[in-house]
Tab-separated table of all heavy atoms in Angstrom:
chain	number	residue	atom	x	y	z
A	252	ASP	N	-105.841	130.222	-80.785
A	252	ASP	CA	-107.218	130.431	-81.215
A	252	ASP	C	-108.074	129.206	-80.903
A	252	ASP	O	-109.169	129.308	-80.342
A	252	ASP	CB	-107.209	130.732	-82.721
A	252	ASP	CG	-108.601	130.975	-83.286
A	252	ASP	OD1	-109.529	131.257	-82.510
A	252	ASP	OD2	-108.756	130.883	-84.517
A	414	GLN	N	-120.616	143.631	-70.810
A	414	GLN	CA	-121.046	143.370	-69.441
A	414	GLN	C	-119.857	142.893	-68.603
A	414	GLN	O	-119.025	142.110	-69.083
A	414	GLN	CB	-122.150	142.313	-69.406
A	414	GLN	CG	-123.417	142.731	-70.125
A	414	GLN	CD	-124.514	141.681	-70.008
A	414	GLN	OE1	-124.399	140.724	-69.248
A	414	GLN	NE2	-125.594	141.881	-70.750
A	448	VAL	N	-97.347	147.036	-42.604
A	448	VAL	CA	-97.353	145.647	-43.033
A	448	VAL	C	-96.097	145.353	-43.854
A	448	VAL	O	-95.725	146.133	-44.738
A	448	VAL	CB	-98.629	145.353	-43.866
A	448	VAL	CG1	-98.533	144.011	-44.564
A	448	VAL	CG2	-99.851	145.406	-42.964
A	466	ASP	N	-111.623	146.226	-75.682
A	466	ASP	CA	-110.357	146.820	-76.106
A	466	ASP	C	-109.329	145.737	-76.426
A	466	ASP	O	-108.180	145.787	-75.990
A	466	ASP	CB	-109.829	147.764	-75.026
A	466	ASP	CG	-108.670	148.620	-75.530
A	466	ASP	OD1	-108.571	148.838	-76.749
A	466	ASP	OD2	-107.844	149.048	-74.692
A	546	ALA	N	-93.956	126.545	-49.650
A	546	ALA	CA	-94.513	126.716	-48.307
A	546	ALA	C	-95.648	125.713	-48.097
A	546	ALA	O	-96.785	125.944	-48.526
A	546	ALA	CB	-95.014	128.141	-48.123
A	552	GLN	N	-101.866	120.522	-33.651
A	552	GLN	CA	-102.995	120.959	-32.832
A	552	GLN	C	-102.896	120.406	-31.415
A	552	GLN	O	-102.311	119.335	-31.200
A	552	GLN	CB	-104.318	120.501	-33.454
A	552	GLN	CG	-104.563	121.002	-34.864
A	552	GLN	CD	-104.747	122.506	-34.946
A	552	GLN	OE1	-104.920	123.187	-33.934
A	552	GLN	NE2	-104.690	123.054	-36.156
A	560	ALA	N	-98.466	115.138	-34.491
A	560	ALA	CA	-97.912	116.483	-34.623
A	560	ALA	C	-96.629	116.468	-35.454
A	560	ALA	O	-96.415	117.335	-36.316
A	560	ALA	CB	-97.648	117.077	-33.246
A	563	THR	N	-97.294	116.278	-39.396
A	563	THR	CA	-97.590	117.517	-40.129
A	563	THR	C	-96.400	118.481	-40.093
A	563	THR	O	-96.191	119.238	-41.039
A	563	THR	CB	-98.866	118.187	-39.580
A	563	THR	OG1	-99.175	119.327	-40.379
A	563	THR	CG2	-98.720	118.631	-38.133
A	570	GLY	N	-89.821	121.982	-47.076
A	570	GLY	CA	-89.512	123.149	-47.903
A	570	GLY	C	-89.306	124.333	-46.991
A	570	GLY	O	-88.497	124.288	-46.067
A	709	ALA	N	-60.513	100.724	-46.523
A	709	ALA	CA	-60.081	99.558	-47.293
A	709	ALA	C	-59.769	98.398	-46.356
A	709	ALA	O	-59.265	98.579	-45.240
A	709	ALA	CB	-58.852	99.912	-48.123
Side-chain angles (χ1 to χ4, degrees):
D252 180 18
Q414 297 183 10
V448 168
D466 192 25
Q552 301 294 348
T563 184

